[in-house]
Amino acid sequence: MKYFAKQKQDSSSKRKPKFFNVALICLLAMLGGMLGAHAQSLPDSLNPILLEGVGISWTKPSGEEMFSATSINKDEINSNLGNGSINNLFDMVPSMTTTSDAGTGIGYTYMRIRGIDQTRINVTINGIALNDAESQGSWFVNLPDFGAKVQQLDIQRGVGTSNNGSAAFGATMNFGTLDNAHQRFFEISSSAGSFNTFRNSATFGTGLIGDVFAATISYSNVLSDGYINFASARLHNLFFSSDFYLKNKKKNKNYGKLKLNLIYGNEKTGLAWDGVPSNMLSIDRRYNGCGLYTDPTGIEHHYSNETDNYQQLHAQLFYDYNKRITDRNLLKVNVAGHFTRGIGYYEQYKQDKKYSKYALSNPIIDGDTIRRGDFITQKYLDNYFYGVTFSVKQNFLKVGKNEPDNKLGWSVGGAFNQYYGKHYGIVKWAQFGGVPNGYHWYDGTGTKNKFNLYGTLDYTQGRWYAYVDLQYRMIMYDINGIDDNLVDVTQKHLWHFFNPKAGVSVDLDRNRHHSLYLSLARSQREPTRADLVDSPKDKKPVPETLYDIELGYRMQYKKYAFNANAYFMYYDKQLVLTGQINDMGTAIMTNVDKSYRMGIELISAYKPIKYFTWNIKGTFSLNKILDYTEYVDDWDNGGQVVKHLGTTDISFSPNIVASNEFIVTPVDNFNIALTTQFVSRQYLDNSSNKAYSLKPYCVTNLNLSYCFHTKPVKDIELFFRINNLFNAKYESNAWIYRYIYEGVECVDDGYFPQATINFMGGVRIKFAK
């Protein structure tokens, strides 16, 4: 349990605490990487199936179209909002699996693409980094009901092209927030479902005022008791966006646009990160050990405030200027400034702990020295993240005599960001007293400066397209102070990364029914704070390097589209959990020399008639560590038992992730979507031992929606969703700690069951001028 508890503390330390209380069709990107480049040539009848990848122009290099990508638009997002979980938007994304602590997708959620966790997925909002600078994860619990504020979601699997934010080892994901409508509107939505789940939202748009200003403001909340006991969530979100067009009407000149976004999130979530021990799964799948303690009479209680509390504000200011120098020469300039403020804590009841653990003197009561007792602690993170980004892009168009137009484009972009975070722990209460008011038992800081610069050059000639992308990243990271184990963790790091990328594609026929593409890319990633702090002083982790090859074929016709994307991802010094711990009993992430992921992603869409669409996605992969050495704690003799296992499977990397979706529209505006996902076995560690694995699971969801129009009301949409239609009992995540005791290998573990069959239904009403 020590192994897991510490791991959870570190992964969640970015996300704790309190501050100013402010208040369906899942379209397929069938063309892998190349659809966006040729989307204008698609037949109109196929456009409902295939959607051009849309990104924020000032962060999207031309080469992005070279990589396997998925785009989800606003209509699809509205159809899949369900209970407000961001996981609902990922149902049909190739190679993606999701999980949540509470079992409903509300609260703490996690995602993996190609088996790669979210600390290795580059996530941006309008091109501004969302990943926490120290843990490198993206914690959507801090942005409740965020899906309702998204206009477009674009996901590139693999390394992808250069972008701002953290290193992309599994994918690049950009959320484009709501566009400001030019017509005034007011929209309300209310829904309710299983586990006392309620989701409500209200959105107002001013429309275009005076031809120069438009704004949108939205508030929403999500309340749920959760499937797992005591895993309740109370989530609130406020969103504001405004556009100001810089015009001179007298001179008929346009000087660009200013855009301001404010995104505020407030969450209070019951802790459920211990999971359910394997021996409890058959007894009580909803069991939650977080906050349980026993009083002196032997009666068991649950501490009512075993919660995570965090508030976060994102402020983004953009300037966007487009100038058509000639009919065939377009220049785009974009600059943005951003500021993120987060502060919060998670509170825990700690039973039978030593006073010395909290650097406290042992109290003396009636002459007896008290060395142990119960405590209530709060672990805080108080941070700031701010910086600027920029992009300059220019395209030159040249008309060919016998071929389509030829085009030359270039872009230069970059960002400078600084992160400053304070880590500290407060002892709120002690059973036998002896704690000064406002007492901190540890204090530490983290300061991280990040700079990146990239340039791309792309050229289209006839049926051929090619690009080159070069990126430089510099990271300066200073850690100071002591951690919660009272260990001095002061250290300084400086990293320089150079990441080249290139790609080429060709249309095999004039009608662009068949295309091939190939891309090569390298990415480098620095260790996280937890990797650096928890490792032994004589074995500090080093940066990881990934070499990614993507080879794809696409076919598109009026009623059918198909994409096959093969990938090979080779790692040098990948960081993995080995089971080894340091002298403080903390699990260590260790570099392994060589490992790889290889697979093929198959995506198809078939629309034989207007009223029926059939989508299939499947990823078939191998994920291996070469020459792996495992460490298992030896409680009998001290130290660890070392085992050389050779080639093993990478943990949490299923060999098969497949999904099927039927969409039926029996009458106009009435959609029925039946989605099924299958995920094969996942190992909990790198031993490839079947006894330490998640069983394969298959889950089906049914989504119904009907929208109609009236004169006083523009849209009235009724929706109803059944999750886990066939009541599957499955676990989508787990942890494990293995050790030798009395000559026998023992296991502590925790599994995360997901909700059995559950329901969500409601109504959305939109008034518009």
Side-chain angles (χ1 to χ4, degrees):
M1 182 60 71
K2 184 188 298 182
Y3 161 89
F4 174 69
K6 179 60 181 178
Q7 185 182 24
K8 293 299 300 187
Q9 290 167 9
D10 291 323
S11 65
S12 61
S13 64
K14 76 134 270 318
R15 46 197 198 212
K16 307 314 153 227
K18 226 174 185 177
F19 109 171
F20 43 142
N21 286 312
V22 194
L24 146 78
I25 298 175
C26 219
L27 297 184
L28 305 175
M30 304 304 315
L31 310 180
M34 290 309 302
L35 176 59
H38 305 301
Q40 292 181 349
S41 67
L42 294 177
D44 292 340
S45 61
L46 195 56
N47 281 339
I49 303 179
L50 304 179
L51 177 69
E52 176 185 1
V54 177
I56 304 303
S57 62
W58 55 273
T59 62
K60 182 180 180 182
S62 300
E64 181 171 350
E65 290 84 3
M66 294 300 301
F67 291 80
S68 47
T70 298
S71 293
I72 304 175
N73 67 10
K74 183 58 180 174
D75 289 340
E76 299 170 302
I77 291 170
N78 281 339
S79 298
N80 287 277
L81 285 175
N83 59 16
S85 169
I86 198 71
N87 287 358
N88 294 330
L89 305 188
F90 300 149
D91 280 352
M92 286 298 290
V93 176
S95 305
M96 177 173 277
T97 60
T98 61
T99 186
S100 68
D101 285 355
T104 57
I106 299 174
Y108 273 100
T109 61
Y110 312 91
M111 60 181 171
R112 294 187 179 95
I113 295 181
R114 297 179 179 175
I116 302 163
D117 71 85
Q118 62 202 55
T119 65
R120 290 162 167 80
I121 297 174
N122 177 18
V123 182
T124 58
I125 300 176
N126 302 319
I128 303 296
L130 177 65
N131 300 72
D132 175 72
E134 293 195 289
S135 71
Q136 300 186 39
S138 299
W139 313 105
F140 289 99
V141 67
N142 299 336
L143 296 171
D145 200 28
F146 181 59
K149 315 306 185 295
V150 175
Q151 186 78 28
Q152 178 87 17
L153 169 59
D154 297 295
I155 301 172
Q156 284 184 303
R157 299 181 302 282
V159 170
T161 49
S162 293
N163 213 324
N164 297 317
S166 63
F169 258 48
T172 297
M173 182 181 300
N174 182 68
F175 292 86
T177 54
L178 291 177
D179 292 336
N180 290 302
H182 285 197
Q183 285 187 323
R184 186 167 57 223
F185 74 93
F186 177 64
E187 180 178 301
I188 56 174
S189 178
S190 183
S191 55
S194 304
F195 316 116
N196 291 321
T197 300
F198 300 92
R199 177 183 170 271
N200 300 283
S201 68
T203 305
F204 171 71
T206 64
L208 190 59
I209 300 174
D211 214 24
V212 295
F213 179 79
T216 302
I217 186 168
S218 178
Y219 168 78
S220 61
N221 63 47
V222 180
L223 311 175
S224 178
D225 289 345
Y227 173 70
I228 300 299
N229 296 335
F230 311 116
S232 63
R234 300 293 182 265
L235 315 176
H236 303 271
N237 177 274
L238 184 65
F239 172 82
F240 173 80
S241 178
S242 64
D243 291 337
F244 186 72
Y245 297 90
L246 306 175
K247 296 181 177 181
N248 188 323
K249 293 184 178 180
K250 292 182 179 181
K251 296 183 179 181
N252 194 28
K253 288 188 176 182
N254 186 343
Y255 297 102
K257 181 179 76 172
L258 286 175
K259 186 179 188 71
L260 173 66
N261 287 336
L262 300 174
I263 310 170
Y264 170 79
N266 179 327
E267 61 94 0
K268 185 181 182 74
T269 306
L271 300 185
W273 58 40
D274 279 1
V276 181
S278 55
N279 59 2
M280 285 290 295
L281 286 173
S282 60
I283 301 171
D284 182 6
R285 295 178 57 81
R286 304 176 70 174
Y287 173 83
N288 184 359
C290 292
L292 291 180
Y293 68 96
T294 304
D295 68 18
T297 65
I299 299 176
E300 191 174 75
H301 301 270
H302 181 269
Y303 178 57
S304 61
N305 200 37
E306 190 92 353
T307 57
D308 180 87
N309 308 263
Y310 199 78
Q311 301 186 45
Q312 193 172 65
L313 174 69
H314 298 260
Q316 303 175 337
L317 179 63
F318 305 94
Y319 172 69
D320 190 350
Y321 177 69
N322 298 338
K323 181 177 178 61
R324 187 168 293 281
I325 300 173
T326 68
D327 289 344
R328 304 186 182 283
N329 190 340
L330 178 63
L331 178 68
K332 297 182 178 182
V333 179
N334 304 271
V335 181
H338 64 90
F339 174 82
T340 299
R341 172 75 168 107
I343 183 172
Y345 64 93
Y346 62 96
E347 184 166 311
Q348 293 181 295
Y349 191 99
K350 298 290 189 177
Q351 189 166 27
D352 194 31
K353 298 297 181 181
K354 292 181 179 180
Y355 270 75
S356 59
K357 174 179 173 58
Y358 302 105
L360 290 167
S361 301
N362 296 323
I364 298 176
I365 300 178
D366 296 332
D368 293 330
T369 300
I370 308 298
R371 291 180 169 81
R372 307 180 75 97
D374 294 354
F375 298 83
I376 296 175
T377 64
Q378 293 178 339
K379 289 188 174 182
Y380 270 84
L381 180 64
D382 180 352
N383 61 24
Y384 300 84
F385 177 63
Y386 45 86
V388 295
T389 69
F390 75 93
S391 174
V392 180
K393 182 176 182 178
Q394 189 170 17
N395 287 324
F396 302 91
L397 188 66
K398 180 181 179 181
V399 178
K401 293 181 179 180
N402 301 315
E403 294 284 353
D405 293 344
N406 301 331
K407 184 175 68 173
L408 175 66
W410 63 268
S411 64
V412 175
F416 175 77
N417 303 297
Q418 184 174 74
Y419 169 92
Y420 175 73
K422 293 189 291 184
H423 304 255
Y424 57 90
I426 293 177
V427 179
K428 183 179 177 181
W429 172 84
Q431 182 180 7
F432 300 104
V435 181
N437 290 332
Y439 173 73
H440 289 206
W441 93 84
Y442 72 91
D443 284 278
T445 62
T447 304
K448 197 170 190 178
N449 294 301
K450 299 192 294 181
F451 170 78
N452 71 276
L453 181 68
Y454 64 84
T456 65
L457 182 67
D458 59 272
Y459 183 63
T460 303
Q461 182 171 10
R463 301 178 192 175
W464 289 86
Y465 172 80
Y467 88 100
V468 175
D469 178 341
L470 304 176
Q471 182 198 50
Y472 167 72
R473 294 182 67 225
M474 180 180 70
I475 300 104
M476 295 178 289
Y477 188 22
D478 293 348
I479 301 174
N480 293 284
I482 62 172
D483 68 1
D484 58 343
N485 288 317
L486 306 179
V487 176
D488 188 343
V489 294
T490 300
Q491 52 194 279
K492 294 180 181 293
H493 300 276
L494 173 64
W495 295 290
H496 299 274
F497 300 136
F498 175 64
N499 301 315
K501 308 170 183 75
V504 63
S505 74
V506 59
D507 292 317
L508 301 180
D509 61 297
R510 290 181 181 275
N511 295 320
R512 293 174 174 168
H513 290 315
H514 304 270
S515 296
L516 291 173
Y517 61 88
L518 170 68
S519 64
L520 309 172
R522 183 176 75 172
S523 183
Q524 296 168 284
R525 174 184 174 273
E526 73 276 15
T528 67
R529 178 187 175 95
D531 297 336
L532 296 167
V533 167
D534 295 338
S535 61
K537 292 183 179 180
D538 60 345
K539 198 175 182 181
K540 288 295 180 185
V542 298
E544 308 166 87
T545 302
L546 167 63
Y547 300 90
D548 182 26
I549 303 174
E550 309 267 337
L551 174 64
Y553 163 76
R554 71 166 179 86
M555 174 177 63
Q556 60 177 46
Y557 285 95
K558 184 176 181 180
K559 295 182 178 181
Y560 179 69
F562 173 75
N563 176 223
N565 183 78
Y567 63 88
F568 181 72
M569 307 173 75
Y570 180 77
Y571 296 86
D572 183 22
K573 303 298 184 183
Q574 182 180 190
L575 280 164
V576 299
L577 283 170
T578 65
Q580 187 180 9
I581 62 173
N582 65 12
D583 55 358
M584 297 304 300
T586 302
I588 296 169
M589 293 280 285
T590 299
N591 296 104
V592 293
D593 286 339
K594 308 297 179 186
S595 56
Y596 68 86
R597 302 176 188 271
M598 62 183 300
I600 184 167
E601 296 163 326
L602 303 176
I603 309 168
S604 67
Y606 180 48
K607 191 178 179 72
I609 57 176
K610 177 182 178 182
Y611 307 107
F612 176 71
T613 303
W614 184 7
N615 298 324
I616 301 177
K617 290 182 172 68
T619 299
F620 305 89
S621 64
L622 293 175
N623 310 276
K624 300 292 185 178
I625 299 174
L626 305 178
D627 195 23
Y628 177 66
T629 299
E630 176 185 71
Y631 298 85
V632 178
D633 287 353
D634 186 347
W635 286 20
D636 295 332
N637 305 304
Q640 276 111 16
V641 175
V642 179
K643 299 180 181 180
H644 300 285
L645 301 182
T647 299
T648 63
D649 293 277
I650 301 176
S651 61
F652 298 103
S653 299
N655 292 335
I656 302 174
V657 177
S659 60
N660 182 88
E661 182 180 42
F662 295 121
I663 302 170
V664 180
T665 309
V667 297
D668 288 345
N669 301 317
F670 179 39
N671 291 319
I672 303 172
L674 185 70
T675 304
T676 300
Q677 184 185 52
F678 170 78
V679 179
S680 66
R681 186 175 303 276
Q682 302 175 65
Y683 294 101
L684 305 185
D685 60 16
N686 301 300
S687 67
S688 295
N689 189 331
K690 190 175 179 179
Y692 311 135
S693 66
L694 293 171
K695 296 178 181 178
Y697 60 86
C698 185
V699 182
T700 298
N701 300 324
L702 177 64
N703 202 7
L704 307 162
S705 66
Y706 178 59
C707 185
F708 58 94
H709 313 281
T710 65
K711 287 187 177 179
V713 180
K714 181 180 179 182
D715 296 327
I716 300 178
E717 182 182 13
L718 304 175
F719 52 88
F720 186 71
R721 183 181 178 101
I722 306 177
N723 297 306
N724 199 353
L725 180 64
F726 300 113
N727 203 36
K729 292 184 178 180
Y730 70 103
E731 299 81 46
S732 56
N733 197 17
W735 61 268
I736 189 171
Y737 169 60
R738 297 159 53 199
Y739 57 96
I740 306 296
Y741 179 64
E742 294 184 350
V744 177
E745 182 169 294
C746 303
V747 172
D748 285 343
D749 57 21
Y751 287 75
F752 295 87
Q754 301 303 287
T756 50
I757 185 170
N758 59 96
F759 311 90
M760 194 76 183
V763 60
R764 181 179 64 87
I765 303 173
K766 184 175 182 178
F767 303 86
K769 182 178 177 181

